[in-house]
Amino acid sequence: MDFNIIRCGRAVLHVTDLERSKAFYEALGFVITESDSDCVYLRGLEEHNHHSLLLKEKDEPVVEAISYKVYSDEDLDQLAGHFESEGTTVKWLEKGSQHALGRAFRIQDPQGLPVEFYAEMDSVERLLQRYNLYKGAKVQRIDHFNCAVKDVQQSYDYYINELGFACSEYTIDDKENIWAAWLHRKPSVHDVAFMNSVGPRLHHIGFWLKDPMSLIDGCDVLASMGYAKNIERGPGRHGLSNAFFLYLRDPDGHRIELYNGDYLTSDPDFKPIKWDLNDPLRQTFWGHEAPDSWFDEASIVLDVHTGEPVETGEPKLKKTKPQFMI
Amino acid sequence: MDFNIIRCGRAVLHVTDLERSKAFYEALGFVITESDSDCVYLRGLEEHNHHSLLLKEKDEPVVEAISYKVYSDEDLDQLAGHFESEGTTVKWLEKGSQHALGRAFRIQDPQGLPVEFYAEMDSVERLLQRYNLYKGAKVQRIDHFNCAVKDVQQSYDYYINELGFACSEYTIDDKENIWAAWLHRKPSVHDVAFMNSVGPRLHHIGFWLKDPMSLIDGCDVLASMGYAKNIERGPGRHGLSNAFFLYLRDPDGHRIELYNGDYLTSDPDFKPIKWDLNDPLRQTFWGHEAPDSWFDEASIVLDVHTGEPVETGEPKLKKTKPQFMI
Amino acid sequence: MDFNIIRCGRAVLHVTDLERSKAFYEALGFVITESDSDCVYLRGLEEHNHHSLLLKEKDEPVVEAISYKVYSDEDLDQLAGHFESEGTTVKWLEKGSQHALGRAFRIQDPQGLPVEFYAEMDSVERLLQRYNLYKGAKVQRIDHFNCAVKDVQQSYDYYINELGFACSEYTIDDKENIWAAWLHRKPSVHDVAFMNSVGPRLHHIGFWLKDPMSLIDGCDVLASMGYAKNIERGPGRHGLSNAFFLYLRDPDGHRIELYNGDYLTSDPDFKPIKWDLNDPLRQTFWGHEAPDSWFDEASIVLDVHTGEPVETGEPKLKKTKPQFMI
Amino acid sequence: MDFNIIRCGRAVLHVTDLERSKAFYEALGFVITESDSDCVYLRGLEEHNHHSLLLKEKDEPVVEAISYKVYSDEDLDQLAGHFESEGTTVKWLEKGSQHALGRAFRIQDPQGLPVEFYAEMDSVERLLQRYNLYKGAKVQRIDHFNCAVKDVQQSYDYYINELGFACSEYTIDDKENIWAAWLHRKPSVHDVAFMNSVGPRLHHIGFWLKDPMSLIDGCDVLASMGYAKNIERGPGRHGLSNAFFLYLRDPDGHRIELYNGDYLTSDPDFKPIKWDLNDPLRQTFWGHEAPDSWFDEASIVLDVHTGEPVETGEPKLKKTKPQFMI
Ligand SMILES: [Ca+2]
Ligand SMILES: [Fe+2]
Ligand SMILES: [Fe+2]
Ligand SMILES: [Fe+2]
Ligand SMILES: [Fe+2]
């Protein structure tokens, strides 16, 4: 099946102090497309769509939705039809109900993640060559979502077989169970990754940088502005995905990854790369340990229908820190 | 129309001294997959297919073919059928007739370029994380072909309407004629570019680097090995495509571009970027002039049926150095 | 002899439109320590002294002085005494007569360059770790002066034998005449270079960058702000000095070099590196040609006593473009 | 006092498996000047002297000496005379007794460190522009020694007042005691640092890299060769010294720092930078914690007279992990 999902598109996060969050993301190098007293719309320097990160000021710092862009409104209708035909309740958000976005719908995916699809978002000026506006880590574009789920095998099957994603890399435990999987629609390593953990939760949102030095520059700028404590892990390189990475916690604890070092995954004969859970090069190619917080903490997600937090549960496969996710 | 062309795949070049060429490309940072007394098969560090550049020792330094990879053998048949239905002669090269390649066919495109399509190439070890093997400019993968043609408008129409390419950027002259166009199948700036010039000729083959420093390193390594004279232009940045570029001439004069700085072009609502021919930032964002050789010289191509050089002719639009191509 | 000259310290340039110059140098990544309607005081990010570049608005874009810092006021007196004893007229500028500077004196050196010495300059906040203030090419500190003189051998002898400089690298013509020489007091490649040319003139002032990517970033930022035309040469690497360089022309044509890639020259047993004038790797390691302007144009200097432009004359050694200076 | 000490010069380390160590340092990017069955002589790419690191195969992995280069043999004699006059026993090693080195002498410094001085070392080809020989982290030159001593105040006084070093940065505890100090002869941040810890021990030897990307490249190359476990800490930035750093453990546990990001400390009016021991930006500007091993482990040093290990003792100031040294 193929519903012309193009790529991961945006995330909608709730934050508890909008000004504080706005200052953080601006320091990090995001472009502020628009902001008012309730919301901030952020995008990367090469993005021609209105935003890839929407922050709403609310009481609890949770995840309202992670969103994928589809090719056309027709594809959107077909995809909604597919969900309904398999018994998944579709919640439509008509055009005009969300600022700068066309009509969209949301579902709770089989593992409980709040997922949104849309085909249309307002165009804005792309700032790729406005180098004098670059700052911080010079965030270029949204790259992927990383999700903690209880049953990775189920997410893997669903996203590949039902939604047409392809797998670039995956991790197995010593019984050959799928522990984690990196799935893509655009020909990069991933649009979404799923890891075996307490779920459903959003572990992080990855943003792509133009080069490794932008990541180093980002560290220096953040530290000089008092954000050193927001740097949780890295810089380092993952064996899995070959990413040169940095993990940050925003003022509410939402985790952002800065990411560079991907490769092209366009080919049908590209064989997904298999990693053993205990391969020491998998998690961190250079051999560093991640802090406990990185393994234990992730953002709670909302139910798209009730607006209430989705209860989390223990993962299907036994958790083995520190190798359990990337 | 869409025949599931995935991406540009390989180029087949004739060189007059194989050992000399092999030494050059190895210094530049290509991986040598295989070589014998007649041929050298080269690939980039992240490539999982057998080669992206095939050098054959011959009397004349010409271009035998530029090749695109399609999704499946079925797509290949449909594409061949399409060419035949429009009256284009298809020359099949059955599996086994070309080393490491499945069945393929070649056509002469409307502007006279020798174009090959294939779905299958042998898989080899991907060396992306074998950093101890990196050298020179650390060439990662093939990115695009840049072709000089007499009638860009015709190539533009044909590749978009007949073959399903999309346009990312283009240049117009003062009468709004299309002077040059950047077309893609994979969601990067281009798999192929066409420029108004004496054609048909191959201007250069672009290879993607992992970061800007690899390009600087490449210059230093080449110079230290006596290849300074092979550096024709750059490093610099194109306004068009935002590429951080370096142009090299191989020992036979074939031009290779090292390239970093692309952006994602996945979205149907991405509006192609229009440049005026005389916008000084278009050609070289930083304002340098290119040498005359860069404007005047390009590789002669062969007729896929006769094996003879294709005669070139004057371009349709009046040539205006130095703005005529990128 | 050794008068405890520490390093090159500052340059005093006349510019014809202060606001225009201020905008340019700020875009380039200088810190503005102070400015008023007549003057702008600029420094690099790691500099703890008040300024390394002083711009004064005047009718003609000339060089008022190039200045060296000596260890102490006592050294300053001894150096002044030395000049007087050899018959060189010393012009004292008492403390208070120049903003932010202690007492200083100026002389016209044997080749006619206006040279100033001082021991004391006001201290200001060093911004090295204020990364959020970094911009443009992130200029770190003054590195060297490059001067065109009629008789390099004389400057070479004078600065080494009379003033205690050491030579790191030099160029000879085919008759073993010294064509150019790189001399230092601090243990870098140079504080001052002299080249055989129409002189006396100031060819450029070199500023040190923290890394090669800052130079690339500088190009991008300048171009995005409309300063592409101010980029005269580079980026490239000199064989001589191993510098990764960029040459810029300020709005009045004064030439600024951005520079990275030096080495340590602390050792008395370091043998000066000799280059042949016609070694193609000497000027530009990567093999590019410099534009004519780079060879032909340089800034006129003033007489420290009369305040009038110093008349220039033809160099002693026959000029041979393009190899005549670096 | 000033005995014309130029810079830190070399370290002499004992290793237990010469082949294993040689392989490690070669992977790291050192140049092997010479090696035989007992010794390996290593240098950086820009070094014109024979070696900056000498490894001798012995039973115990200890430090035989850390060495400083002085300006001339005359200075060497004066320095030896000074030590003798203050009652320090000088052990001369005549020319010919150490390969590639002129006459030298060794002393045990007041805190028990084995220190050597020499004026002359054989010259070898400098490989700075032999970029095709660059590999690993592309080590450029020795930069500094970092020593754990029981009484930093005493080392501080001795090296500044007796040997003519200058202080660039220092750390104080909450009672204003000097906890650590960075001292230099060459105008960089340091030739030697002293930290309050179990001493005397050698904490690490710092080597200078040409740019930050060389450090990242070094990590990738080491990891790809199976040395990921040898990476102990970093990459990161120290607030103190502004270094972009990586700490490695060689196969015997000797610690090597790769280092980039220094600044010029030539000026007498440069005010040493004071850091509070508990300033979170001091140790690691970006906020990461160092592993326990980094705080607890360091190399035992030998007595220059007996050849026996020097007994270590508790530091004078109370140890407070994790802030106790850098
Ligand atoms: Ca120079
Ligand atoms: Fe990620
Ligand atoms: Fe290109
Ligand atoms: Fe210069
Ligand atoms: Fe250190």
Side-chain angles (χ1 to χ4, degrees):
Chain A
M1 292 224 188
D2 187 339
F3 299 98
N4 270 327
I5 297 168
I6 300 172
R7 58 173 177 90
C8 70
R10 70 164 189 171
V12 184
L13 301 182
H14 292 183
V15 300
T16 58
D17 181 336
L18 198 60
E19 284 308 307
R20 187 181 60 166
S21 295
K22 186 179 165 183
F24 172 78
Y25 283 100
E26 199 168 15
L28 192 47
F30 277 86
V31 178
I32 297 178
T33 305
E34 274 187 69
S35 71
D36 59 28
S37 59
D38 300 321
C39 293
V40 180
Y41 298 86
L42 301 155
R43 72 184 197 279
L45 288 151
E46 76 164 67
E47 291 183 324
H48 64 105
N49 275 171
H50 185 273
H51 63 275
S52 53
L53 186 58
L54 166 52
L55 309 180
K56 297 182 177 178
E57 191 169 69
K58 301 278 182 181
D59 290 343
E60 298 299 327
V62 295
V63 179
E64 184 179 310
I66 56 178
S67 311
Y68 297 92
K69 185 175 187 176
V70 300
Y71 192 81
S72 68
D73 259 0
E74 198 168 82
D75 291 308
L76 197 63
D77 284 324
Q78 286 190 13
L79 183 56
H82 171 76
F83 282 122
E84 282 166 343
S85 74
E86 64 168 31
T88 300
T89 308
V90 166
K91 176 180 181 175
W92 279 99
L93 294 149
E94 286 310 312
K95 181 160 182 165
S97 66
Q98 296 195 86
H99 179 58
L101 204 72
R103 56 200 282 270
F105 70 82
R106 293 180 180 180
I107 56 141
Q108 212 75 22
D109 91 351
Q111 287 293 312
L113 293 161
V115 179
E116 180 184 63
F117 298 91
Y118 65 91
E120 189 196 320
M121 188 188 279
D122 287 0
S123 285
V124 292
E125 186 191 352
R126 206 178 55 128
L127 302 178
L128 182 61
Q129 296 187 322
R130 300 285 297 276
Y131 289 102
N132 51 326
L133 304 180
Y134 280 36
K135 59 188 171 182
K138 307 151 199 169
V139 173
Q140 297 281 309
R141 63 172 182 260
I142 192 167
D143 188 80
H144 65 266
F145 307 121
N146 185 304
C147 307
V149 296
K150 288 181 288 186
D151 186 345
V152 172
Q153 182 70 55
Q154 194 204 35
S155 290
Y156 177 90
D157 292 340
Y158 188 80
Y159 277 77
I160 290 177
N161 299 332
E162 301 293 315
L163 301 178
F165 284 68
C167 179
S168 58
E169 309 202 14
Y170 64 106
T171 302
I172 51 157
D173 70 10
D174 49 16
K175 284 164 191 151
E176 295 277 327
N177 294 307
I178 293 188
W179 188 272
W182 280 252
L183 308 181
H184 66 92
R185 284 290 309 171
K186 71 179 179 307
S188 63
V189 171
H190 54 327
D191 287 290
V192 66
F194 297 105
M195 283 97 13
N196 181 72
S197 181
V198 170
R201 295 182 299 169
L202 179 67
H203 190 266
H204 65 262
I205 311 168
F207 288 88
W208 197 82
L209 304 186
K210 69 186 174 73
D211 55 29
M213 279 307 296
S214 296
L215 195 151
I216 304 297
D217 289 347
C219 291
D220 282 331
V221 171
L222 286 171
S224 70
M225 296 176 79
Y227 291 115
K229 66 185 183 309
N230 296 71
I231 300 177
E232 185 185 37
R233 181 184 176 191
R237 185 175 304 282
H238 289 309
L240 210 153
S241 87
N242 199 46
F244 185 58
F245 66 80
L246 186 79
Y247 292 97
L248 299 148
R249 303 299 289 273
D250 86 356
D252 284 292
H254 295 306
R255 188 179 287 106
I256 298 294
E257 181 185 16
L258 303 180
Y259 181 90
N260 180 258
D262 224 80
Y263 55 89
L264 185 69
T265 59
S266 60
D267 293 7
D269 61 345
F270 179 80
K271 289 171 198 63
I273 297 168
K274 180 165 96 171
W275 295 83
D276 285 327
L277 186 52
N278 293 317
D279 181 338
L281 295 181
R282 183 187 71 93
Q283 248 268 349
T284 316
F285 193 61
W286 300 342
H288 300 291
E289 278 178 39
D292 287 345
S293 64
W294 195 90
F295 289 105
D296 296 339
E297 301 171 12
S299 293
I300 293 297
V301 302
L302 294 188
D303 186 297
V304 302
H305 303 293
T306 67
E308 293 301 310
V310 176
E311 205 172 336
T312 60
E314 287 301 308
K316 196 172 152 194
L317 304 178
K318 192 177 166 321
K319 193 161 79 179
T320 320
K321 187 215 156 200
Q323 292 100 336
F324 91 108
M325 56 178 164
I326 193 166
Chain B
M1 293 230 187
D2 186 340
F3 299 98
N4 270 327
I5 297 168
I6 300 173
R7 58 172 176 90
C8 70
R10 70 163 187 172
V12 184
L13 302 182
H14 293 183
V15 299
T16 59
D17 182 336
L18 198 60
E19 284 309 308
R20 186 181 60 167
S21 294
K22 186 179 164 184
F24 172 78
Y25 284 100
E26 199 169 14
L28 193 47
F30 278 86
V31 178
I32 297 177
T33 304
E34 273 188 70
S35 71
D36 58 28
S37 58
D38 299 320
C39 293
V40 180
Y41 298 87
L42 300 155
R43 72 184 196 279
L45 288 152
E46 76 163 68
E47 291 182 323
H48 65 103
N49 274 172
H50 186 271
H51 63 275
S52 53
L53 186 58
L54 166 52
L55 308 179
K56 297 181 177 178
E57 192 170 66
K58 301 279 182 182
D59 291 340
E60 298 299 327
V62 295
V63 178
E64 186 178 310
I66 55 177
S67 311
Y68 297 91
K69 186 174 185 176
V70 301
Y71 192 82
S72 68
D73 260 359
E74 199 167 82
D75 291 308
L76 196 62
D77 284 325
Q78 287 191 10
L79 182 57
H82 171 77
F83 282 121
E84 282 167 343
S85 74
E86 64 166 32
T88 301
T89 309
V90 166
K91 177 180 181 177
W92 279 99
L93 294 149
E94 286 309 312
K95 182 160 182 166
S97 65
Q98 295 195 86
H99 180 59
L101 204 73
R103 55 199 283 269
F105 71 82
R106 293 180 179 179
I107 56 141
Q108 213 75 22
D109 90 351
Q111 286 293 312
L113 293 162
V115 180
E116 180 184 63
F117 297 91
Y118 65 91
E120 189 195 321
M121 188 188 279
D122 287 358
S123 286
V124 293
E125 187 191 353
R126 207 178 55 129
L127 301 179
L128 183 60
Q129 296 187 322
R130 300 285 296 278
Y131 289 102
N132 51 326
L133 303 180
Y134 279 36
K135 59 188 170 183
K138 308 150 200 169
V139 173
Q140 298 281 310
R141 64 173 182 260
I142 192 167
D143 187 80
H144 64 267
F145 307 120
N146 185 304
C147 306
V149 296
K150 288 180 287 185
D151 186 345
V152 172
Q153 181 72 53
Q154 194 204 37
S155 290
Y156 177 91
D157 292 340
Y158 188 81
Y159 277 77
I160 290 177
N161 299 332
E162 301 293 314
L163 301 179
F165 284 68
C167 179
S168 58
E169 310 202 13
Y170 64 106
T171 301
I172 51 157
D173 69 10
D174 49 17
K175 284 163 190 151
E176 295 276 328
N177 294 307
I178 293 188
W179 188 272
W182 281 252
L183 308 181
H184 67 92
R185 284 291 310 172
K186 70 179 180 308
S188 63
V189 170
H190 56 325
D191 288 289
V192 66
F194 297 104
M195 282 97 15
N196 181 72
S197 182
V198 171
R201 295 182 298 169
L202 179 67
H203 189 266
H204 66 261
I205 311 167
F207 288 87
W208 196 83
L209 304 186
K210 70 185 175 73
D211 55 30
M213 278 307 295
S214 296
L215 195 152
I216 304 297
D217 290 347
C219 291
D220 282 331
V221 171
L222 287 171
S224 70
M225 297 177 78
Y227 291 115
K229 66 186 181 310
N230 297 72
I231 299 176
E232 185 186 36
R233 181 185 177 190
R237 185 174 306 281
H238 289 308
L240 210 155
S241 85
N242 198 45
F244 185 59
F245 66 81
L246 187 78
Y247 292 95
L248 300 149
R249 303 299 290 273
D250 87 355
D252 284 292
H254 295 305
R255 189 178 287 104
I256 298 293
E257 181 185 16
L258 303 181
Y259 182 91
N260 179 258
D262 224 81
Y263 56 87
L264 185 69
T265 59
S266 60
D267 294 7
D269 60 346
F270 179 81
K271 288 171 198 63
I273 297 168
K274 180 164 95 172
W275 295 83
D276 285 326
L277 185 53
N278 293 316
D279 181 338
L281 296 181
R282 182 188 71 94
Q283 247 269 348
T284 314
F285 193 60
W286 300 341
H288 300 292
E289 278 178 38
D292 286 345
S293 65
W294 195 90
F295 289 105
D296 297 337
E297 300 172 12
S299 294
I300 293 297
V301 302
L302 294 187
D303 186 298
V304 302
H305 303 293
T306 68
E308 293 301 309
V310 177
E311 207 172 334
T312 59
E314 287 301 307
K316 196 173 153 194
L317 304 178
K318 191 178 165 321
K319 193 161 78 177
T320 321
K321 187 214 155 204
Q323 291 101 335
F324 92 106
M325 57 178 165
I326 193 167
Chain C
M1 293 228 188
D2 187 339
F3 299 98
N4 271 326
I5 297 167
I6 299 172
R7 57 173 177 89
C8 71
R10 70 164 187 171
V12 184
L13 302 182
H14 293 184
V15 300
T16 58
D17 182 337
L18 198 61
E19 283 310 308
R20 185 181 62 167
S21 295
K22 186 177 164 183
F24 172 78
Y25 284 100
E26 199 168 15
L28 193 46
F30 278 85
V31 177
I32 296 177
T33 304
E34 275 186 70
S35 72
D36 58 29
S37 59
D38 299 321
C39 293
V40 180
Y41 297 87
L42 300 154
R43 71 184 198 278
L45 288 151
E46 77 164 66
E47 292 182 323
H48 65 103
N49 275 172
H50 186 272
H51 62 276
S52 53
L53 187 58
L54 166 52
L55 309 179
K56 297 181 178 179
E57 192 168 67
K58 302 277 182 183
D59 290 342
E60 298 299 326
V62 294
V63 178
E64 183 179 311
I66 56 177
S67 312
Y68 298 91
K69 185 175 186 176
V70 299
Y71 193 82
S72 67
D73 260 359
E74 198 168 82
D75 291 309
L76 196 62
D77 284 324
Q78 286 189 13
L79 183 57
H82 171 77
F83 282 121
E84 283 166 343
S85 73
E86 64 167 32
T88 301
T89 309
V90 166
K91 176 180 181 177
W92 280 98
L93 295 149
E94 287 311 310
K95 181 158 182 167
S97 64
Q98 296 195 86
H99 180 57
L101 203 72
R103 55 200 282 269
F105 71 82
R106 293 181 180 179
I107 56 142
Q108 213 75 23
D109 90 352
Q111 287 295 311
L113 294 161
V115 179
E116 180 184 62
F117 297 91
Y118 65 92
E120 190 195 320
M121 188 188 278
D122 287 359
S123 285
V124 292
E125 187 191 353
R126 207 178 53 129
L127 301 179
L128 183 60
Q129 296 187 322
R130 300 285 296 278
Y131 289 101
N132 50 326
L133 303 180
Y134 279 37
K135 59 187 169 183
K138 308 151 199 169
V139 174
Q140 298 281 310
R141 64 172 182 260
I142 192 167
D143 188 80
H144 65 266
F145 307 121
N146 186 303
C147 306
V149 295
K150 288 180 288 185
D151 186 345
V152 172
Q153 182 71 54
Q154 194 204 36
S155 290
Y156 177 90
D157 292 339
Y158 188 80
Y159 277 78
I160 290 178
N161 300 331
E162 301 292 314
L163 300 180
F165 283 68
C167 179
S168 58
E169 309 203 11
Y170 65 107
T171 301
I172 51 158
D173 69 10
D174 49 17
K175 286 164 187 148
E176 296 276 327
N177 295 307
I178 293 187
W179 189 271
W182 281 252
L183 308 181
H184 66 93
R185 284 291 310 172
K186 70 179 180 309
S188 63
V189 171
H190 56 325
D191 287 289
V192 66
F194 298 104
M195 283 97 12
N196 181 72
S197 182
V198 171
R201 295 182 299 169
L202 180 67
H203 189 266
H204 65 263
I205 311 167
F207 288 87
W208 197 82
L209 304 186
K210 70 186 175 71
D211 57 29
M213 279 307 295
S214 296
L215 196 151
I216 304 298
D217 290 346
C219 291
D220 283 330
V221 171
L222 286 171
S224 70
M225 296 176 78
Y227 291 114
K229 67 185 182 310
N230 297 72
I231 299 176
E232 184 185 38
R233 181 185 176 191
R237 185 175 306 279
H238 289 310
L240 210 153
S241 86
N242 199 44
F244 185 59
F245 66 81
L246 186 79
Y247 292 95
L248 299 149
R249 303 299 291 271
D250 87 355
D252 285 291
H254 295 306
R255 189 179 286 105
I256 298 294
E257 182 186 15
L258 303 181
Y259 182 91
N260 180 259
D262 223 82
Y263 55 88
L264 184 69
T265 59
S266 60
D267 293 7
D269 61 345
F270 179 80
K271 289 171 199 63
I273 297 168
K274 181 165 95 173
W275 294 83
D276 286 326
L277 185 52
N278 293 316
D279 181 339
L281 295 180
R282 183 188 72 94
Q283 249 268 349
T284 315
F285 194 61
W286 300 342
H288 299 293
E289 279 179 38
D292 287 345
S293 65
W294 195 91
F295 288 106
D296 297 338
E297 301 171 12
S299 294
I300 293 296
V301 302
L302 294 188
D303 186 297
V304 301
H305 303 294
T306 67
E308 293 301 309
V310 176
E311 206 174 335
T312 60
E314 286 302 307
K316 197 172 152 193
L317 305 178
K318 191 176 165 325
K319 194 161 78 179
T320 321
K321 188 212 155 202
Q323 292 99 336
F324 92 106
M325 57 178 165
I326 191 166
Chain D
M1 293 229 187
D2 186 338
F3 300 98
N4 271 327
I5 297 168
I6 300 172
R7 59 175 176 87
C8 71
R10 70 164 188 172
V12 184
L13 301 182
H14 293 183
V15 300
T16 58
D17 182 337
L18 199 60
E19 284 309 308
R20 186 181 60 167
S21 295
K22 187 178 163 183
F24 172 78
Y25 284 100
E26 200 167 13
L28 192 47
F30 278 85
V31 177
I32 297 178
T33 305
E34 275 187 70
S35 71
D36 59 28
S37 58
D38 299 321
C39 293
V40 180
Y41 298 86
L42 301 155
R43 72 183 196 281
L45 288 152
E46 75 162 69
E47 292 182 323
H48 66 104
N49 275 171
H50 186 272
H51 63 276
S52 53
L53 186 58
L54 166 51
L55 308 179
K56 297 181 176 178
E57 190 169 67
K58 301 278 183 183
D59 290 342
E60 298 298 328
V62 294
V63 179
E64 185 179 309
I66 56 177
S67 311
Y68 297 92
K69 186 176 186 175
V70 300
Y71 192 82
S72 68
D73 259 0
E74 199 167 82
D75 292 309
L76 196 62
D77 285 323
Q78 286 190 12
L79 182 57
H82 171 75
F83 282 122
E84 282 166 343
S85 74
E86 64 168 31
T88 301
T89 308
V90 166
K91 177 180 180 177
W92 279 98
L93 293 150
E94 286 310 312
K95 181 160 181 166
S97 66
Q98 295 195 87
H99 180 58
L101 204 72
R103 55 199 283 268
F105 71 82
R106 293 181 180 179
I107 56 141
Q108 213 74 24
D109 91 351
Q111 287 293 313
L113 292 161
V115 179
E116 181 184 62
F117 298 91
Y118 66 90
E120 190 195 320
M121 188 189 278
D122 287 359
S123 285
V124 293
E125 187 191 353
R126 206 177 55 129
L127 302 178
L128 182 61
Q129 296 187 322
R130 301 284 296 279
Y131 289 102
N132 51 326
L133 303 180
Y134 280 36
K135 59 188 170 181
K138 308 152 199 167
V139 174
Q140 297 282 309
R141 64 172 181 260
I142 192 167
D143 187 80
H144 65 266
F145 307 120
N146 185 304
C147 305
V149 295
K150 288 180 287 185
D151 186 345
V152 172
Q153 181 71 54
Q154 193 204 38
S155 290
Y156 177 90
D157 292 340
Y158 187 80
Y159 277 77
I160 290 177
N161 299 332
E162 301 292 314
L163 301 179
F165 283 68
C167 179
S168 58
E169 309 203 13
Y170 64 107
T171 302
I172 51 157
D173 69 10
D174 49 18
K175 285 163 188 149
E176 296 276 327
N177 295 307
I178 294 188
W179 187 272
W182 280 252
L183 308 181
H184 67 92
R185 284 291 309 173
K186 70 179 180 309
S188 64
V189 171
H190 56 325
D191 288 289
V192 65
F194 297 105
M195 283 96 14
N196 182 71
S197 180
V198 171
R201 294 182 299 169
L202 180 67
H203 189 266
H204 65 262
I205 311 167
F207 288 87
W208 196 81
L209 305 186
K210 70 185 174 74
D211 56 29
M213 278 307 294
S214 295
L215 195 151
I216 304 298
D217 289 346
C219 290
D220 282 330
V221 171
L222 287 170
S224 70
M225 296 177 78
Y227 290 115
K229 66 186 182 309
N230 297 72
I231 299 176
E232 185 186 35
R233 181 184 176 191
R237 186 175 304 282
H238 289 308
L240 209 152
S241 86
N242 199 44
F244 184 58
F245 66 81
L246 186 78
Y247 292 95
L248 299 149
R249 303 298 290 272
D250 86 357
D252 284 292
H254 295 306
R255 189 179 286 105
I256 298 293
E257 181 185 16
L258 303 180
Y259 182 90
N260 180 259
D262 224 81
Y263 55 89
L264 185 68
T265 59
S266 59
D267 292 7
D269 61 345
F270 179 80
K271 289 171 198 63
I273 297 167
K274 181 165 97 172
W275 295 84
D276 286 326
L277 186 52
N278 293 317
D279 181 337
L281 295 181
R282 183 188 71 94
Q283 248 270 346
T284 315
F285 193 62
W286 300 342
H288 299 293
E289 278 178 39
D292 287 344
S293 65
W294 195 91
F295 289 105
D296 297 338
E297 301 171 12
S299 293
I300 292 297
V301 301
L302 293 188
D303 185 298
V304 300
H305 303 293
T306 67
E308 293 301 308
V310 176
E311 206 173 336
T312 59
E314 287 301 309
K316 197 171 153 193
L317 304 177
K318 192 176 164 322
K319 194 161 79 178
T320 321
K321 188 213 155 203
Q323 293 101 335
F324 91 107
M325 56 178 165
I326 193 166

